[in-house]
Each structure stands twice: as structure tokens, then as C-alpha cells.
């Protein structure tokens, strides 16, 4: 008991608790995107926590992309969607963490023979079957991305069982990706893509290719996405060797 009263033990727990509490507040939209958080000083006074604890909790959420700080102006709930690049998360997980409920509209959910390009990307022999998903991804009725995913049919025999999250379905099939290689490229969105994403033709977009792997090294997904450049920020932490 004495140990739990020791500030050295309580401190890290307190900042993690505060981090969770702030995340809850954002998820429940008690503070809307773009709105300011109470100042560090007010939070520490209100919650009876040290400034160090408050600062540490906020710093963690800034790093996650949920909050951003404007110098001298304070801390705000992020308006743009800031996606840390080092974490292998799904579209659904990213948006749920921001209190948004994503939805997909499918153009295609089918099974067919692998094309030469897909067989290279997925490391599959010619003639093998793959499941294809082609969809527009929305949050709050706003289209955010177009995604075309290809998954070996040996992993996903029936793509019709995917309604919302592909990764959730893969998880239930015991095939949740563990590692991925991702390539980002700036593009200008063509007329059709722009129409689907409700932006003017020629708007900036991010073309992202992700190849995800299982623990045993098998490729489980080859996805090409077009994300809206006016909404998404991709951030990565860099370190020296
Ligand atoms: C991101 C990735 C895709 C991945 C998708 C899964 O958008 N760029 O490669 O397929 O997440 O998301 P969900 O599980 O919501 O379908």
C-alpha cells in the first residue's frame, strides 16, 4: 500500500489514466475536432494532477495524432486525420480512435483468378484464386478514401463476409496482418476518383500501396488506396542509428 502511495509509482499510472480519459472525451465528442482542450494549468488544477503528468499525457496523444499543439495557442483536437505510419492499424481502427464510425460502400466483392500483377505482389502462382474488394470508405457520410484490396482466397474464401473492417474479418480467420510494407505517392485525383471522394478533379491525393504479411511470411493483403490529401496527414517517427 505504501508503494502505491509513492509518487514514483503513481506518476506513470496517472498519466496513462489521464491519456485514456482524454481519449474517451474525444471519442464521445465532448470536445469536437478543432476545439481546444483546457490549458495544462487548468487541467492540472481541476484534476489535482501535476503539470508533468498532464504534459506527458498530452504529449502521448499529440504523438498519436489525436491532438495537436499550436505554439502559444494551446492544444486542440486534431481536425485533419493524422495517421502514424509506424503502426499497422486498419482504417476502421484509426477512425474509431477519433470517435468516428466508418462505413464502406462496395463496388466489388468477388473471387477470381490472380492477375500477373497481383501474383507478383502477393507471391502467388498463376491460376490461384484471390478475393477482391473495391470500396469507398466513409466517415460521417464523408468519403475519405478509395481502396482496392486483394487477398488470397485461401485466406478469405468469401469476400461477401466483409461488411466493414477487412482486418476484423482477417482476425476472426486467424490471419490478422503482423507486418506491412507501405509506399506512399503523391497523385492528382482523376475525374472519377475525385467524384467518388467529393473533391474537385485534379485535387491532391495520396496513393498508398500496402503489402501485409502474416507471421510465417505469407502475403495476406495487397491494397491500393487513394486517400484524400486535404484530410490526411501521415507522420513517422525518425531515429538515427
Ligand atoms: C488501411 C490500409 C489498408 C487496409 C485497411 C483495412 O486503410 N491502407 O491496406 O486494408 O486499412 O481496414 P479495415 O479493417 O477497416 O477494412
Amino acid at each position: 500500500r505504501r508503494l502505491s502511495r509513492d509518487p514514483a509509482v503513481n506518476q506513470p499510472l496517472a498519466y496513462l489514466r489521464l491519456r485514456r480519459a482524454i481519449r474517451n472525451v474525444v471519442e464521445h465528442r465532448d470536445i469536437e475536432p478543432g476545439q481546444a482542450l483546457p490549458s495544462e494549468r487548468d487541467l492540472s488544477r481541476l484534476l489535482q494532477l501535476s503539470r508533468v503528468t498532464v504534459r506527458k499525457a498530452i504529449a502521448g496523444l499529440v504523438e498519436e495524432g489525436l491532438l495537436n499543439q499550436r505554439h502559444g495557442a494551446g492544444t486542440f483536437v486534431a481536425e485533419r486525420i493524422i495517421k502514424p505510419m509506424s503502426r499497422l492499424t486498419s482504417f476502421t481502427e484509426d477512425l474509431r480512435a477519433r470517435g468516428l464510425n466508418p462505413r464502406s460502400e462496395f463496388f466489388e466483392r468477388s473471387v477470381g483468378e490472380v492477375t500477373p500483377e497481383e501474383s507478383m505482389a502477393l507471391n502467388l502462382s498463376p491460376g490461384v484464386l484471390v478475393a477482391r474488394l473495391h470500396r469507398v470508405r466513409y466517415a460521417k457520410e464523408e468519403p475519405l478514401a478509395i481502396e482496392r484490396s486483394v487477398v488470397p482466397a485461401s485466406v478469405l474464401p468469401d469476400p461477401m463476409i466483409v461488411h466493414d473492417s477487412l482486418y476484423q474479418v482477417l482476425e476472426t480467420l486467424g490471419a490478422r496482418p503482423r507486418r506491412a510494407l507501405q509506399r506512399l505517392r503523391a497523385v492528382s485525383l482523376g475525374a472519377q476518383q475525385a467524384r467518388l471522394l467529393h473533391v474537385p478533379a485534379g485535387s491532391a491525393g495520396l496513393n498508398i500501396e500496402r503489402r501485409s504479411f502474416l507471421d510465417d511470411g505469407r502475403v495476406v493483403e495487397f491494397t491500393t488506396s487513394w486517400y484524400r490529401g486535404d484530410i490526411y496527414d501521415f507522420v513517422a517517427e525518425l531515429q538515427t542509428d
Side-chain angles (χ1 to χ4, degrees):
R1 196 162 339 116
R2 242 221 338 266
L3 197 69
S4 74
R5 264 186 274 139
D6 186 315
V9 170
N10 276 332
Q11 202 99 309
L13 297 175
Y15 94 80
L16 286 177
R17 269 204 308 273
L18 177 58
R19 202 154 128 174
R20 202 172 328 132
I22 296 176
R23 197 180 291 121
N24 265 335
V25 163
V26 174
E27 277 174 24
H28 289 103
R29 304 226 137 210
D30 294 328
I31 306 182
E32 296 277 334
Q35 283 186 344
L37 228 62
S39 72
E40 243 174 57
R41 191 186 323 124
D42 287 350
L43 277 176
S44 88
R45 211 175 31 210
L46 218 74
L47 305 170
Q48 307 264 302
L49 293 168
S50 77
R51 290 284 287 268
V52 176
T53 301
V54 171
R55 201 166 304 143
K56 212 164 160 195
I58 289 177
L61 293 167
V62 168
E63 200 170 300
E64 268 180 38
L66 197 68
L67 304 177
N68 52 47
Q69 273 169 328
R70 278 174 240 150
H71 211 72
T75 306
F76 298 83
V77 176
E79 259 175 309
R80 289 173 63 89
I81 296 170
I82 299 168
K83 163 108 185 87
M85 292 243 284
S86 47
R87 293 175 55 210
L88 179 46
T89 52
S90 71
F91 182 86
T92 304
E93 288 159 347
D94 292 341
L95 292 189
R96 289 219 175 117
R98 275 151 192 80
L100 296 168
N101 223 352
R103 171 177 82 75
S104 293
E105 221 162 75
F106 287 91
F107 303 116
E108 186 189 348
R109 269 175 294 182
S110 62
V111 174
E113 244 179 58
V114 72
T115 65
E117 193 209 359
E118 291 164 352
S119 81
M120 294 246 289
L122 290 161
N123 241 337
L124 294 175
S125 324
V128 164
L129 293 180
V130 291
R132 295 193 186 92
L133 303 159
H134 191 189
R135 53 187 166 156
V136 178
R137 318 221 49 185
Y138 296 84
K140 281 202 308 177
E141 299 313 308
E142 192 174 15
L144 301 181
I146 303 168
E147 291 200 298
R148 193 194 284 275
S149 303
V150 189
V151 177
S154 57
V155 173
L156 180 66
D158 179 11
M160 292 305 282
I161 65 171
V162 181
H163 298 288
D164 297 307
S165 170
L166 170 63
Y167 278 20
Q168 213 170 309
V169 168
L170 291 177
E171 176 108 53
T172 62
L173 298 172
R176 163 94 198 194
R178 295 282 162 233
R179 192 175 72 82
L181 290 175
Q182 189 159 278
R183 189 179 56 76
L184 271 84
R185 198 165 54 183
V187 289
S188 106
L189 297 166
Q192 203 194 342
Q193 292 168 328
R195 188 173 46 76
L196 292 170
L197 293 174
H198 298 182
V199 292
S203 296
L206 285 159
N207 172 237
I208 302 172
E209 264 180 25
R210 186 187 283 187
R211 289 171 74 220
S212 306
F213 303 84
L214 298 178
D215 276 335
D216 62 10
R218 271 183 298 155
V219 187
V220 72
E221 151 193 47
F222 173 50
T223 294
T224 310
S225 319
W226 291 266
Y227 277 70
R228 275 172 56 179
D230 59 332
I231 287 190
Y232 269 90
D233 284 7
F234 285 80
V235 297
E237 186 185 315
L238 309 178
Q239 278 170 350
T240 54
D241 292 336

